[in-house]
Amino acid sequence: MTSVALYDTKPYDQQYFLQAPRYNEISVQFHEFRLTSETAATTGEANAVCVFVNDRLDANCLALLRKKGVRLVALRCAGFNNVDLNAAKSLGLAVARVPAYSPHAVAEHAVALLLALNRKIHRAYNRVREHNFSLNGLAGFDLYGKTVGIIGTGKIGKIAAQIFRGFDCEVLAYDPFPSPEWAARFAVRYTDFDTLLASGDIVSLHLPLTPQTCYLLNAETFAQMKRGAYLVNTSRGELVKTKSLIEQLKSGRLGGVALDVYEEEEHLFFQDHSADVLQDDEFTRLLSFPNVLITAHQAFFTHEALTEIARVTTENVARFNEGEPFVEGSVLVALP
Ligand code: NAD
């Protein structure tokens, strides 16, 4: 039986894993702390580890895991920027992920954030609870007729684009690997990156974090954006240079910013810090802007997505035990 150690788990992870179809075929230890080189000694008898977005599997951590007898790293997420795949390959470790659990969950959250921010729903909610029925300062804009720039038209970006088309927005897209048939079907227009930045009333990021895309939005690229544009980032925090983002907000160049991810989220998100003095000055500065709305990496967090994450992950771990091929699209590094 494959024994798997799960890291950075919360009660909801445990609840969904317990209900997964092949859960009974594997032996599971749940850990609430994260997997890093400092905690790699905690795998016990496990020959597989299961990790999430903020576990850090660098070369050192992977070497320690290999020494302890681990052969499989199963990511219960789609992004894999936190695992050194080259090191895994040279150590003979297999790496699998959940390639698509619910692109709808993330795309719908991106649009929800934008709607809430633009129509100031979060502020109106607090006012009404205090019996303040004034509308001063709550004016938004119609999405109808606005130009939305979608950067990255993979699984999530495509659905986000389709939702914006439903509002009758003009949708521009940029992706080095475009999907022309899909674009024609939904009347989405591909363009180059610079034109998208210069034309978007709203720019929404749906591309992966890689060394090439890190700080895609920085002082220089922000300067190419329309004055008053809104930015939505539900992809990865490091796509945006936070220092420059704060400057753009202070100068009023950006009209609004909706974030589900943050450059330094590893130290904050998925934990209750409500009784702590936050030490991250850039994050607290972001919170101080009335035109910034932040959620703590919850775009994926739907019943459908959690069910699929648990199903695919337990399926991969069970298949590993049986020597069967992993679920289609999950393999990042095959076993040698
Ligand atoms: P995907 O692999 O299906 O699509 C990514 C697209 O980005 C691809 O079409 C690729 O060609 C394109 N791309 C790559 N480099 C680019 C560049 N420089 N400029 C423009 N496009 C580029 O991925 P997906 O499933 O759509 O997910 C997108 C991202 O969303 C993931 O990488 C992950 O970081 C993020 N995500 C966030 C959450 C959340 O809860 N907030 C959940 C899932 C995924």
Side-chain angles (χ1 to χ4, degrees):
M1 190 183 258
T2 302
S3 169
V4 58
L6 278 89
Y7 290 87
D8 202 11
T9 61
K10 301 283 181 279
Y12 46 81
D13 293 308
Q14 304 191 11
Q15 179 196 333
Y16 281 90
F17 269 79
L18 288 169
Q19 290 165 13
R22 297 190 74 176
Y23 179 79
N24 291 335
E25 295 175 42
I26 59 181
S27 150
V28 177
Q29 316 157 35
F30 291 107
H31 295 299
E32 286 182 14
F33 54 88
R34 290 182 181 155
L35 180 57
T36 62
S37 43
E38 282 76 45
T39 61
T42 59
T43 53
E45 299 301 304
N47 50 357
V49 292
C50 175
V51 297
F52 196 48
V53 292
N54 287 320
D55 296 286
R56 285 276 145 253
L57 285 82
D58 54 19
N60 187 20
C61 176
L62 291 166
L64 292 166
L65 293 175
R66 184 68 182 88
K67 232 188 235 168
K68 292 270 299 169
V70 170
R71 299 299 308 279
L72 169 67
V73 174
L75 287 139
R76 51 181 197 283
C77 51
F80 49 86
N81 50 284
N82 53 336
V83 181
D84 185 334
L85 297 183
N86 289 329
K89 193 168 182 190
S90 56
L91 287 161
L93 283 162
V95 184
R97 64 170 173 156
V98 184
Y101 34 90
S102 173
H104 295 275
V106 184
E108 288 172 15
H109 190 78
V111 180
L113 274 178
L114 176 70
L115 286 171
L117 177 67
N118 164 31
R119 302 306 297 268
K120 326 256 188 309
I121 306 291
H122 53 308
R123 301 181 67 195
Y125 172 79
N126 285 329
R127 279 193 196 181
V128 171
R129 281 171 66 88
E130 296 195 354
H131 305 177
N132 173 358
F133 307 114
S134 156
L135 299 185
N136 287 334
L138 298 186
F141 56 81
D142 289 5
L143 270 185
Y144 170 79
K146 295 291 180 298
T147 300
V148 180
I150 300 283
I151 305 185
T153 53
K155 293 174 283 297
I156 297 169
K158 280 194 175 93
I159 294 165
Q162 290 165 216
I163 298 173
F164 283 118
R165 286 292 299 130
F167 283 97
D168 256 338
C169 293
E170 187 186 342
V171 177
L172 299 180
Y174 169 70
D175 193 308
F177 302 96
S179 307
E181 280 173 25
W182 163 82
R185 182 167 163 221
F186 291 99
V188 169
R189 193 155 57 82
Y190 276 105
T191 183
D192 58 275
F193 181 64
D194 294 351
T195 308
L196 183 147
L197 285 188
S199 319
D201 298 301
I202 295 139
V203 171
S204 193
L205 305 183
H206 299 288
L207 69 164
L209 174 68
T210 63
Q212 294 74 40
T213 63
C214 183
Y215 292 158
L216 180 85
L217 292 184
N218 53 50
E220 211 171 288
T221 47
F222 275 130
Q224 293 175 250
M225 286 176 71
K226 242 183 176 175
R227 193 162 188 88
Y230 274 49
L231 171 69
V232 183
N233 185 9
T234 55
S235 278
R236 283 291 181 269
E238 295 97 320
L239 293 171
V240 177
K241 192 163 170 52
T242 309
K243 261 190 202 344
S244 315
L245 180 68
I246 291 170
E247 289 310 314
Q248 303 306 316
L249 282 158
K250 281 168 75 177
S251 71
R253 176 165 206 100
L254 283 175
V257 174
L259 303 175
D260 185 53
V261 288
Y262 168 62
E263 201 181 334
E264 298 294 333
E265 69 176 53
E266 189 182 334
H267 310 293
L268 295 170
F269 288 5
F270 307 117
Q271 315 286 337
D272 180 358
H273 286 294
S274 54
D276 303 339
V277 174
L278 287 192
Q279 299 299 318
D280 185 328
D281 292 347
E282 289 186 347
F283 189 74
T284 47
R285 184 68 179 102
L286 280 178
L287 289 177
S288 75
F289 292 102
N291 52 347
V292 171
L293 183 58
I294 305 177
T295 50
H297 209 135
Q298 72 174 74
F300 74 100
F301 202 56
T302 64
H303 168 71
E304 290 77 4
L306 291 166
T307 305
E308 187 62 3
I309 287 171
R311 184 191 73 78
V312 173
T313 309
T314 49
E315 182 69 41
N316 274 336
V317 173
R319 287 188 186 190
F320 171 73
N321 189 38
E322 301 295 325
E324 297 164 12
F326 291 128
V327 173
E328 202 187 335
S330 339
V331 183
L332 293 170
V333 178
L335 262 186

